[in-house]
Amino acid sequence: MVFSSNVFLFLFLPVFLGLYYISGNRYRNLLLLVASYIFYAWWRVDFLALFAGVTLWNYWIGLKVGAAGVRTKPAQRWLLLGVGVDLCILGYFKYANFGVDSLNAIMTSMGLEPFILTHVLLPIGISFYIFESISYIIDVYRGDTPATRNLIDFAAFVAIFPHLIAGPVLRFKDLVDQFNNRTHTLDKFSEGCTRFMQGFIKKVFIADTLAVVADHCFALQNPTTGDAWLGALAYTAQLYFDFSGYSDMAIGLGLMMGFRFMENFKQPYISQSITEFWRRWHISLSTWLRDYLYITLGGNRKGTFNTYRNLFLTMLLGGLWHGANFTYIIWGAWHGLWLAIERALGLDTNPQRFNPVKWAFTFLLVVVGWVIFRAENLHVAARMYGAMFSFGDWQLSEINSAQLTGLQVATLIVAYLTLAFFGLRDFYRNATPAQAPRTPVQINTDGSIGLDWTRVMTRALVLLLFVASVLKLSAQSYSPFLYFQF
């Protein structure tokens, strides 16, 4: 089941919210757990057992680590056991096929018989719930959160369906208080509905339309320079609107249930360095990698060379986390290399002024990286890069021109205008003192009720676009999220 489906919108969500709000506070976490398991089992019931098993394992390890004491040797042994088993589970399901295929390629080249391994199916969301489980037992070991004895709350944290499949990557220490005591208000529910609709529009209206363009360009056997750049730019926009749209929907659903999740995107394409980009893109993952991998490797505490090495290794492993493919490893190495270069050059990665040259160079680096991230294999990536940087024929090929529609071109233009407008607005808004958030309905000093018509019209437009998106979704057969494969 996915958020962008009629089953979720018109069956699962209204039934769940109805039961959730008629239930007492005592039973809401249990209801959330049951609903999340149903949500997950809608895809495959058998992998629900693995999911529950990982949850029980980390709950038990957390108790053992907590009982052994903060940062003690016995606690460290329990921690290593817990993390080791988690990584073995992730490694088997995510990298077994890749490892055997790579080994067989070597053996075949040497004239040896290849190994035969039944294809291992990747459970959806496994990377996210494994990382969240690891962060919990590490936080217990560090003393950042006590080990919980409430199995229902912990299981609900791991399984909570708004973020289960594709993040944000949450941490138990940030949500434990909300599981025990969260507020449910009309304002929060309204904010959640608006946020969900915004994400839905991003996904269905923009990302799904651009997906057709990107898929076609990357499938061309002999792309022109124009084809390759069109595909790269279409995918750059598609990935942002798809993934940030999912995050918006997850955050919105959380608000409807009284939770406030961390932001996962802050206009990343306005960045003026790769370092700034990773403070704005997939924030929950980048901070996870910083806190649990980069710092564990030594961070910047062990000399200049080791700092550069740790930056590079963190991003290399971050790339590998995305999937078992050499393309992801190279993409991670690409970003790790530029993070190290920027640290070595001492670049200002928190600019107060907008520099078009720095922005253009950073955006170019990001787009170039997305090409290999999107490519099915190194051959496709090489074909796209060869066309992009041959600077030959900037005209679209005949087959591409024949399939490109006016709606797709208009959507691509709207996508980049949207990115530019909200990116620049975010940049200059952060440069001025923060203002209190406004609500559509306000109480005037004389006690009368006033309306902020700008906010009212904005929300009315969002509602109108949401309805149109639902109609568009009904005409589509399938609308998966890109990060479901990770």
Side-chain angles (χ1 to χ4, degrees):
M1 190 187 306
V2 296
F3 300 158
S4 53
S5 68
N6 288 327
V7 171
F8 179 83
L9 289 175
F10 301 114
L11 177 61
F12 181 88
L13 185 59
V15 170
F16 167 76
L17 289 176
L19 293 174
Y20 182 83
Y21 275 99
I22 64 175
S23 301
N25 290 332
R26 181 179 178 183
Y27 300 105
R28 281 176 175 167
N29 290 345
L30 177 60
L31 176 63
L32 177 58
L33 174 61
V34 172
S36 298
Y37 278 178
I38 293 173
F39 179 87
Y40 192 85
W42 201 274
W43 172 63
R44 282 183 66 110
V45 176
D46 51 348
F47 278 124
L48 181 60
L50 172 69
F51 187 26
V54 169
T55 300
L56 289 171
W57 168 255
N58 285 278
Y59 170 76
W60 181 70
I61 288 292
L63 292 176
K64 291 296 184 181
V65 172
V70 174
R71 295 184 182 273
T72 63
K73 284 293 183 181
Q76 186 181 61
R77 288 193 289 269
W78 283 112
L79 173 65
L80 291 175
L81 175 63
V83 173
V85 171
D86 286 337
L87 292 180
C88 285
I89 293 172
L90 181 63
Y92 172 74
F93 283 100
K94 197 159 187 174
Y95 305 107
N97 295 326
F98 174 70
V100 171
D101 290 344
S102 300
L103 180 61
N104 283 342
I106 296 174
M107 294 183 66
T108 302
S109 66
M110 298 172 61
L112 302 175
E113 288 294 323
F115 286 106
I116 298 177
L117 176 71
T118 302
H119 183 78
V120 179
L121 185 64
L122 178 66
I124 58 174
I126 189 171
S127 297
F128 290 93
Y129 69 72
I130 289 288
F131 265 32
E132 287 166 349
S133 299
I134 289 175
S135 71
Y136 165 69
I137 57 177
I138 292 177
D139 286 342
V140 173
Y141 169 77
R142 291 175 175 176
D144 293 334
T145 188
T148 181
R149 293 188 174 278
N150 191 320
L151 177 59
I152 298 299
D153 285 1
F154 179 72
F157 154 73
V158 178
I160 184 170
F161 71 84
H163 80 101
L164 173 60
I165 306 301
V169 183
L170 303 179
R171 307 184 195 188
F172 185 76
K173 66 177 182 179
D174 296 330
L175 288 182
V176 61
D177 291 338
Q178 296 186 59
F179 272 102
N180 295 328
N181 183 26
R182 56 187 179 273
T183 59
H184 302 85
T185 66
L186 183 60
D187 284 344
K188 185 180 282 189
F189 189 88
S190 175
E191 180 187 353
C193 290
T194 302
R195 191 67 181 270
F196 179 87
M197 289 189 290
Q198 289 173 344
F200 193 92
I201 294 165
K202 283 183 177 181
K203 163 62 179 168
V204 176
F205 250 168
I206 299 181
D208 286 355
T209 301
L210 296 182
V212 179
V213 181
D215 291 348
H216 181 70
C217 290
F218 274 83
L220 293 173
Q221 295 300 311
N222 295 294
T224 65
T225 298
D227 293 331
W229 277 104
L230 175 63
L233 291 173
Y235 182 71
T236 297
Q238 177 204 355
L239 182 59
Y240 170 76
F241 283 100
D242 188 285
F243 194 18
S244 71
Y246 179 94
S247 295
D248 286 343
M249 284 187 268
I251 292 170
L253 290 169
L255 287 167
M256 293 182 203
M257 294 180 283
F259 292 97
R260 191 169 291 276
F261 300 156
M262 71 178 298
E263 292 293 334
N264 211 22
F265 291 88
K266 292 184 179 179
Q267 305 301 330
Y269 290 155
I270 202 66
S271 302
Q272 298 179 60
S273 66
I274 295 298
T275 304
E276 183 186 1
F277 174 80
W278 278 104
R279 285 201 296 262
R280 294 173 172 271
W281 177 274
H282 204 344
I283 300 168
S284 63
L285 175 63
S286 61
T287 54
W288 195 101
L289 292 173
R290 179 197 66 197
D291 294 344
Y292 300 106
L293 186 55
Y294 176 69
I295 291 177
T296 301
L297 290 171
N300 58 0
R301 303 188 304 273
K302 298 182 178 180
T304 303
F305 173 78
N306 287 335
T307 298
Y308 302 151
R309 180 204 64 186
N310 295 338
L311 283 169
F312 182 79
L313 287 177
T314 297
M315 292 309 302
L316 188 70
L317 293 172
L320 184 61
W321 173 85
H322 282 81
N325 196 320
F326 287 114
T327 57
Y328 296 127
I329 297 173
I330 295 173
W331 172 79
W334 171 255
H335 279 267
L337 175 65
W338 282 104
L339 287 175
I341 289 174
E342 290 176 358
R343 176 66 67 91
L345 295 177
L347 294 184
D348 178 12
T349 58
N350 190 25
Q352 300 302 310
R353 293 189 300 176
F354 183 72
N355 186 317
V357 175
K358 289 183 178 180
W359 165 79
F361 184 68
T362 301
F363 186 71
L364 175 63
L365 296 179
V366 171
V367 173
V368 169
W370 286 143
V371 171
I372 197 164
F373 186 87
R374 165 61 179 78
E376 291 87 351
N377 50 55
L378 297 179
H379 175 72
V380 173
R383 186 173 67 208
M384 289 292 290
Y385 285 135
M388 289 172 67
F389 295 105
S390 66
F391 302 114
D393 186 1
W394 285 94
Q395 297 291 323
L396 298 181
S397 60
E398 291 185 7
I399 188 172
N400 204 2
S401 298
Q403 297 196 23
L404 191 64
T405 67
L407 175 62
Q408 292 166 350
V409 174
T411 302
L412 185 62
I413 294 172
V414 168
Y416 276 96
L417 288 176
T418 302
L419 289 171
F421 174 78
F422 286 101
L424 290 171
R425 189 189 70 166
D426 179 79
F427 180 84
Y428 287 110
R429 176 179 290 176
N430 290 337
T432 59
Q435 298 179 351
R438 299 180 300 171
T439 58
V441 180
Q442 298 175 334
I443 305 299
N444 299 323
T445 55
D446 60 359
S448 62
I449 298 177
L451 293 178
D452 183 342
W453 286 106
T454 301
R455 302 278 288 181
V456 170
M457 294 302 295
T458 299
R459 292 198 174 186
L461 178 61
V462 169
L463 178 59
L464 181 63
L465 290 174
F466 174 71
V467 172
S469 298
V470 172
L471 295 176
K472 181 177 184 294
L473 174 67
S474 299
Q476 297 175 187
S477 58
Y478 190 46
S479 180
F481 290 90
L482 289 175
Y483 259 66
F484 276 19
Q485 63 184 300
F486 304 126

